[in-house]
Amino acid sequence: MHRTLVGVVSVALAASQTVPVTTKAYDTRACRPGMDHFKFCDTTLSKEQRLDDLLSQITPDEIIPFLTARIGQDSMRYNNITRLGVPHYDWGLNCIHGVQSSCVNDTKTGKTYCPTYFPDPVNLGASFNRSMWRTMGEMIGVEARAFWLAGAVEPSPNTGRPHIGLDCWSPNININHDPRWGRNQEVASEDPFVNGLFGSMYTKGQQESKVESRFLQGITTLKHWDAYTLEDSDGYSRHNFSAVLDNPTISDTFFPAWKESIVNGKAMGVMCSYNAINNVPTCASPFLTNALRNVWNFTGYVTSDSGAVRDIYANHKYVETPEEAACAAIRDGQCDIDSGSVYNASLLDGVKQGHCDMYDVHRGWKHAMGLLFDMGLFDPADDQPLWKVPLSAIGTESSLRAALQSAQESMVLLKNQNGLPAQTGKKYALVGPHYQAQAANIGSYRGQVCPDNTFDCIETLESALSRVSKGSLVSAQGCSMNSNDTSGFAAALALVDSSVDTVFLAIGLDDSVSNEGHDRLTGISLPGVQAEFTKQVLAKAASVSKPVVIVLINGGMVSLGNEAISSSSAIVEAFYPGMFGSEAIATTLFGENPYLGGKMPYTVYPADYVNEIKMSDMSMNKKGTPGRSYKYYTGPTEFDFGFGLAYTTFEFQAAKPAAAPTCDDHRSGDSVSVLVKNTGLVTGDNVLFLYVLGGYTGSGGLPLQKKLHNFERVHLAAGEQRTVQFELSSDHFLNIEDNGDHTCTPGTRTIRISDGVNHQDIDIVVGGSKTTAFTFPDVPPRKIQ
């Protein structure tokens, strides 16, 4: 049975004997009857008083296991405190685009419930729909509670399959800094503003419950803090790489997403990264700690990435011993949780050796343990709705429809010259390595998708096209994803003949090409023999006068090259579209996607771009380089950031605001009113962007071209119109000085309203006097003594 929305509105699937399900309900709450007489169970006391009482009753040897993440089944007997009634807790659940857990069998009904998977974050970035980002966060928060209560475990045997926790090590709000990065599918875009809103909306959805205002539904753990965008390039690995950054680059590119997600989203978790910044490992950086704790007033917990504390001494050589590394992390980096073994083996010895003291350890314990209080794990459960989330809350009809809609919203129509929408009821050819895409649609960071540990419950592209087209379909793979084998060319090319109406060419990437730990070292063109296969399909189709529609399924960006772009009739970018990805693609190709209107979340550079700048060069606008992202790159592109077509047409008109902002009041100025109308014949979506042109990011670098400050997605029926309001303030006109400060300088600036296809510019006179809106927290890094 496929997980489609055609006749199936529940993710409850028939149980399989191969499902590694757990039906045991673990002891997940402290202060149960009989163990509720302790002072830390007294709900009339403040959280701080309760934490102090609990801390006073435990030993150092009992503290350390709680500060260790991902210790597998051992957590169930290792970090619990039976004599006080404090149960185990395992840190480290991943929820990038769905709960990464096992399926769970309901022994009463015999049904098996598996996680709902939205498209990958790169798709969600392409949707530019912040309300959908929050919806996904809400779904993840509810499903995580349900799975946790039911005893779900980590799906991978590498983790030891512990009972999952409620702290999602997600989202990834790093920047799509370089097209070669192996984890670009995990992030929303190349733009810090977009990624910040993605993190903020995800956080609000996942942490805030619709049925409970006293307690957090879960804990969002933003990753990876910070400037982490390299896996294994230029002779470095992510474990020994130090990002060399100046203050303007940190301030303009690597801080904004974190500030937004923490200050406005109120995320309560942060994961420090493997890399160093300017030779100081992030997990031991007092500079980053000052920004996080003092400038942005973050009060939650920090965990290391798995093995990152070890990297402090073993790979960065920042200190010499594990004892020093443990203390550098918990003291200077205020890294409260070690996803590794260093704290367990060496932290208390580091205290004994004088590298840090128990105050640092207790502070870390309070940061982490306090969140369990915040989630209601130490309070009576009888009146807490969050202790009563049933398995039926998993895979609800609304969740599944949102997963499909988000996939449909993320489809980007890059080219259309009479190729789409295809007519139904005809004969079609589907060729290419993704013709039966299942696992690739889900993308990375997935748990158990189907009860039988396969992907057979995910509809293939071949099946979806056959179903939606209402015609006949012939298909062949042609070539594999990343090999030099051309033996399948002939069979696939034989299907491209005069009998077919349209040829669909499904190409791209999968996890074998780029993933966590592995960058795209061979470039950004199609891997293996896909480029040659594409060329031959296009040539064969041209010889019989048949249109070719390219369907890209990929996480990181793909340079198709001018020949493939010009020779194809249409191009649809699908990214990694999730559990309903095939249906989203098929409905798009045949004009049945009412939400078509995605826009590119990153710049698609030509293939030779990677020869002009090293991946390890973390600059954005250094002279002598081509620059990075739409903000600084001015060279040729295959497709621009924000570009995307539709099957309908739109017009918009922006009105100049009556009052301009002033530098002296950072919230002054009227809104920009934009009237947008669907002038075509079918329903469709559009995205309006508000940019500010010009300005500067430090001196001596490549000039800032434009900077995104707002966006809004609109869904309009044919002939329908809507007014969009964009708030305008002096904060939109800030420059970044050489020291990293943000300043506002009065004068004439230009705003641009764009939908990625057309734009309108409006001059704005910013008044007042030059002011500093943000002072860069330039705390010199130091080694521990």
Side-chain angles (χ1 to χ4, degrees), residues 140-173:
I140 286 172
V142 171
E143 290 201 358
R145 273 277 176 169
F147 278 118
W148 177 71
L149 288 169
V153 299
E154 288 271 354
S156 171
N158 295 332
T159 66
R161 287 186 173 152
H163 176 214
I164 64 170
L166 291 171
D167 54 300
C168 283
W169 284 6
S170 310
N172 184 338
I173 60 170

Side-chain angles (χ1 to χ4, degrees), residues 312-314 317-325 783-784:
I312 294 173
Y313 73 92
K317 311 297 183 183
Y318 182 67
V319 294
E320 294 181 355
T321 68
E323 291 79 13
E324 291 175 296
K783 281 192 177 184
I784 63 172

Side-chain angles (χ1 to χ4, degrees), residues 273-351:
S273 52
Y274 292 117
N275 59 284
I277 295 178
N278 297 331
N279 297 317
V280 180
T282 65
C283 292
S285 172
F287 162 64
L288 293 181
T289 299
N290 181 52
L292 195 64
R293 300 281 185 186
N294 300 326
V295 178
W296 300 330
N297 299 314
F298 175 71
T299 60
Y301 88 111
V302 175
T303 180
S304 78
D305 205 339
S306 298
V309 174
R310 180 181 182 275
D311 287 339
I312 294 173
Y313 73 92
N315 291 304
H316 291 297
K317 311 297 183 183
Y318 182 67
V319 294
E320 294 181 355
T321 68
E323 291 79 13
E324 291 175 296
C327 281
I330 204 162
R331 188 184 80 180
D332 293 347
Q334 290 197 24
C335 177
D336 310 304
I337 299 290
D338 170 27
S339 181
S341 59
V342 178
Y343 280 11
N344 185 50
S346 305
L347 181 53
L348 292 181
D349 286 340
V351 172

Side-chain angles (χ1 to χ4, degrees), residues 643-709:
F643 177 77
L645 304 171
Y647 290 152
T648 188
T649 55
F650 296 92
E651 292 180 355
F652 62 87
Q653 181 65 44
K656 186 171 183 177
T662 66
C663 289
D664 304 310
D665 182 354
H666 295 295
R667 293 295 172 192
S668 67
D670 288 345
S671 296
V672 179
S673 179
V674 186
L675 179 65
V676 57
K677 182 177 181 179
N678 182 344
T679 56
L681 300 177
V682 297
T683 297
D685 286 18
N686 201 9
V687 179
L688 296 175
F689 300 96
L690 169 67
Y691 296 97
V692 173
L693 308 187
Y696 58 85
T697 304
S699 62
L702 298 173
L704 176 62
Q705 301 300 308
K706 61 183 178 182
K707 190 172 186 177
L708 182 65
H709 287 280

Side-chain angles (χ1 to χ4, degrees), residues 3-6 8 116-119 132 397-411 459 467 577-588 592-595:
R3 297 173 77 169
T4 72
L5 281 176
V6 179
V8 180
T116 303
Y117 285 102
F118 273 62
M132 184 62 77
E397 180 177 353
S398 61
S399 293
L400 299 183
R401 293 198 181 280
L404 172 59
Q405 181 177 329
S406 64
Q408 290 175 321
E409 288 181 344
S410 73
M411 299 292 109
E459 187 175 27
R467 173 171 57 83
M579 59 190 289
F580 298 119
S582 293
E583 185 170 349
I585 294 170
T587 55
T588 298
E592 297 181 16
N593 175 3
Y595 305 104

Side-chain angles (χ1 to χ4, degrees), residues 412-414 597-600 640-646 686 755-757:
V412 183
L413 183 60
L414 293 175
K599 306 289 183 177
M600 289 303 296
D640 291 338
F641 173 89
F643 177 77
L645 304 171
N686 201 9
D755 65 357
V757 178

Side-chain angles (χ1 to χ4, degrees), residues 461-648:
L461 181 56
E462 181 183 46
S463 171
L465 284 178
S466 181
R467 173 171 57 83
V468 174
S469 71
K470 301 178 178 65
S472 62
L473 183 73
V474 292
S475 58
Q477 184 180 31
C479 65
S480 61
M481 190 62 55
N482 190 24
S483 78
N484 295 320
D485 183 5
T486 62
S487 61
F489 280 22
L493 291 170
L495 303 181
V496 181
D497 60 25
S498 59
S499 69
V500 301
D501 183 76
T502 303
V503 179
F504 299 113
L505 175 59
I507 53 179
L509 311 174
D510 65 9
D511 282 352
S512 70
V513 180
S514 63
N515 52 53
E516 181 175 357
H518 178 53
D519 295 319
R520 293 167 64 189
L521 303 181
T522 58
I524 57 176
S525 299
L526 287 165
V529 294
Q530 285 191 68
E532 179 60 28
F533 179 63
T534 297
K535 181 179 179 181
Q536 293 191 31
V537 169
L538 289 167
K540 179 68 181 297
S543 71
V544 292
S545 301
K546 296 298 177 180
V548 175
V549 176
I550 294 177
V551 178
L552 286 168
I553 298 177
N554 54 290
M557 77 91 137
V558 171
S559 169
L560 287 173
N562 291 333
E563 182 178 353
I565 293 172
S566 62
S567 300
S568 58
S569 295
I571 303 172
V572 173
E573 172 61 85
F575 308 103
Y576 290 152
M579 59 190 289
F580 298 119
S582 293
E583 185 170 349
I585 294 170
T587 55
T588 298
L589 297 177
F590 286 93
E592 297 181 16
N593 175 3
Y595 305 104
L596 178 61
K599 306 289 183 177
M600 289 303 296
Y602 50 69
T603 304
V604 181
Y605 306 103
D608 62 359
Y609 173 85
V610 299
N611 300 321
E612 300 176 32
I613 189 169
K614 287 187 174 182
M615 189 171 173
S616 56
D617 186 340
M618 297 295 289
S619 67
M620 296 295 292
N621 67 333
K622 185 169 67 177
K623 284 190 173 179
T625 72
R628 295 188 184 275
S629 85
Y630 75 90
K631 290 162 58 174
Y632 301 105
Y633 177 74
T634 59
T637 66
E638 293 189 0
F639 300 103
D640 291 338
F641 173 89
F643 177 77
L645 304 171
Y647 290 152
T648 188

